[in-house]
């Protein structure tokens, strides 16, 4: 399966730690890259483009120093998430900074503009775009993206509603580049399952909230440990478009639980809230995916990657030994 050249020899596992609003910053991303998995953060986790540029400088300097001190180690490239939508007035300025600092991977959400692809390809970067259905995958393919993230049912954040078995095949029908699978993946064997299905990389968000390097506070992490898959409510009530939140957190914020709509067709066009309102909302109501039921601890990124590696290897050996 196709992987961009920058990823073929730099990964210890076929894994991207997904960007998360208010949760991921350089500390988490650097810890991931140093373990040989792609680390990322949304540009909007810095309040200004100036602050965002400081993060890019920090990422480039620290990773360059780490690579020269550890030439034998697998050190993965990092990714930045840009919300390409008119509710984000910063995206063009932030894109210019990504070009200036040659961010290796850009993850776009909402708009898959060919303008972004052209700008990122100009310095040798790659663009991954996240989608929840085949229609948006086709548009992203037409825009020339290098990778498509299949955000399946059960994911944290603005999740989709389509079963991963169906969604990956639907995307492969219209796209022959890199496919990443997201939605409830938590274990090493899930990474192998994603590959068996035809995805090239696994894309995990919620599992990384419960690492020491994330920006989530203790109450958020404890809620993840206590929550089960049935606690995840997929509703447009917080963002204007459907996203996944923990029931306990919606209740604590006073949402009328019996009136919350379950997800419908996602229409980003008119309904998404301006970014400042979104930040206020997501501070008090906590997003997570159905994978919460598989998360029982908080650990360091290096411990998590070691565990995932062991599970992944064991799952491969198990399959090989059964001759399957
Ligand atoms: C708290 C939280 C915040 C998120 N914020 C963003 C974001 O800012 N941009 C984005 O593209 N995706 C965002 N996502 C979605 C993730 O990037 C990823 O698609 C998702 O977490 C994968 O599903 P999983 O959580 O079940 O692993 C967020 C997810 C969570 C849980």
């Amino acid at each position: 399966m196709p992987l961009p050249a920058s990823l073929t020899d730099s990964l210890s596992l076929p894994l991207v730690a997904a960007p998360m609003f208010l949760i991921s910053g350089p500390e988490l991303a650097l810890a991931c890259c140093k373990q040989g998995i792609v680390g990322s953060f949304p540009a909007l986790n810095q309040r200004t483009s100036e602050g965002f540029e400081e993060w890019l400088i920090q990422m480039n300097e620290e990773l360059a120093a780490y690579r020269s001190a550890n030439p034998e180690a697998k050190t993965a490239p990092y990714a930045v998430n840009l919300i390409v939508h008119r509710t984000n007035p910063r995206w063009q300025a932030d894109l210019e900074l990504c070009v200036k600092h040659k961010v290796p991977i850009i993850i776009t959400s909402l708009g898959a503009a060919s303008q972004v692809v052209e700008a990122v390809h100009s310095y040798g970067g790659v663009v991954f775009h996240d989608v929840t259905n085949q229609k948006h995958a086709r548009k992203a393919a037409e825009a020339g993206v290098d990778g498509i993230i299949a955000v399946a049912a059960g994911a944290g954040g603005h999740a989709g509603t389509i079963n991963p078995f169906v969604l990956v095949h639907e995307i492969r029908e219209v796209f022959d580049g890199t496919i990443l699978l997201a939605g409830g993946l938590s274990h090493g064997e899930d990474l192998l399952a994603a590959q068996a299905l035809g995805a090239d990389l696994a894309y995990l968000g919620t599992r990384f909230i419960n690492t020491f390097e994330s920006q989530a506070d203790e109450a958020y992490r404890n809620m993840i440990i206590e929550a089960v898959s049935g606690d995840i409510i997929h509703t447009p009530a917080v963002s204007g478009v459907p996203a996944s939140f923990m029931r306990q957190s919606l209740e604590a914020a006073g949402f009328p639980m019996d009136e919350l709509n379950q997800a419908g067709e996602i229409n980003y066009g008119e309904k998404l809230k301006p970014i400042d309102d979104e930040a206020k909302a997501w501070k008090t109501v906590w997003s997570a995916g159905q994978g919460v039921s598989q998360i029982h601890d908080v650990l360091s990124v290096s411990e998590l990657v070691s565990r995932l590696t062991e599970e992944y290897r064991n799952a491969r050996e198990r399959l090989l030994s059964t001759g399957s």
Side-chain angles (χ1 to χ4, degrees), residues 5-297:
S6 59
L7 291 176
T8 42
D9 292 323
S10 60
L11 297 185
S12 59
L13 270 180
L15 175 58
V16 174
M20 291 182 281
F21 195 39
L22 309 180
I23 298 288
S24 33
E27 192 186 349
L28 179 57
L30 283 165
C32 291
C33 296
K34 290 176 185 177
Q35 291 300 316
I37 66 166
V38 176
S40 68
F41 49 77
L44 290 172
N45 277 0
Q46 263 285 14
R47 292 188 61 81
T48 61
S49 290
E50 290 72 29
F52 171 55
E53 182 167 27
E54 283 168 22
W55 276 9
L56 297 184
I57 294 168
Q58 182 189 352
M59 290 300 298
N60 286 343
E61 287 181 353
E62 283 201 35
L63 284 178
Y66 186 80
R67 280 194 184 98
S68 62
N70 302 277
E72 304 302 322
K74 299 240 186 219
T75 306
Y78 71 97
V80 160
N81 172 226
L82 295 178
I83 310 281
V84 181
H85 190 264
R86 64 185 155 67
T87 52
N88 173 18
R90 265 178 50 190
W91 77 262
Q92 273 149 318
D94 289 347
L95 174 62
E96 279 173 28
L97 291 172
C98 292
V99 174
K100 179 177 167 194
H101 294 283
K102 299 188 166 47
V103 173
I105 304 169
I106 301 294
I107 295 172
T108 50
S109 308
L110 306 186
S114 45
Q115 182 193 344
V116 176
V117 175
E118 229 172 86
V120 175
H121 283 177
S122 73
Y123 62 87
V126 297
V127 178
F128 294 163
H129 181 68
D130 66 17
V131 306
T132 53
N133 59 42
Q134 192 189 47
K135 182 174 132 200
H136 290 152
R138 193 175 271 122
K139 274 196 185 165
E142 282 164 11
V145 301
D146 306 279
I148 292 185
I149 303 158
V151 185
H158 291 122
T161 54
I162 298 178
N163 180 291
F165 285 93
V166 178
L167 188 58
V168 169
H169 291 299
E170 285 183 345
I171 293 176
R172 190 51 87 205
E173 280 163 14
V174 296
F175 181 64
D176 57 11
T178 305
I179 292 182
L180 301 91
L181 177 61
L185 286 78
S186 321
H187 299 292
E189 52 268 33
D190 306 348
L191 275 52
L192 191 64
Q195 289 181 308
L197 192 50
D200 305 286
L201 295 167
Y203 194 76
L204 276 65
T206 302
R207 177 57 266 194
F208 282 87
I209 299 175
N210 277 29
T211 58
F212 297 127
E213 292 88 345
S214 89
Q215 294 171 356
D217 66 35
E218 204 186 336
Y220 196 153
R221 291 171 175 157
N222 287 340
M223 196 177 278
I224 286 189
I225 290 172
E226 278 155 27
V228 294
S229 51
D231 290 322
I232 303 305
I233 314 268
H234 193 223
T235 174
V238 178
S239 275
V241 296
S244 301
F245 298 94
M246 288 182 279
R247 177 187 53 77
Q248 295 85 334
S249 144
L250 288 160
E251 278 172 1
F255 278 83
M257 298 307 290
D258 39 355
E259 288 170 29
L260 288 186
N261 288 336
Q262 292 293 309
E265 171 76 6
I266 296 185
N267 176 0
Y268 291 116
E270 299 306 321
K271 298 180 186 158
L272 200 67
K273 286 184 179 166
I275 224 69
D276 284 348
D277 294 356
E278 192 73 346
K280 273 183 220 139
W282 285 56
K283 265 200 185 103
T284 46
V285 188
W286 294 334
S287 176
Q290 290 175 2
V292 285
S293 75
Q294 300 304 303
I295 300 172
H296 310 297
D297 51 11

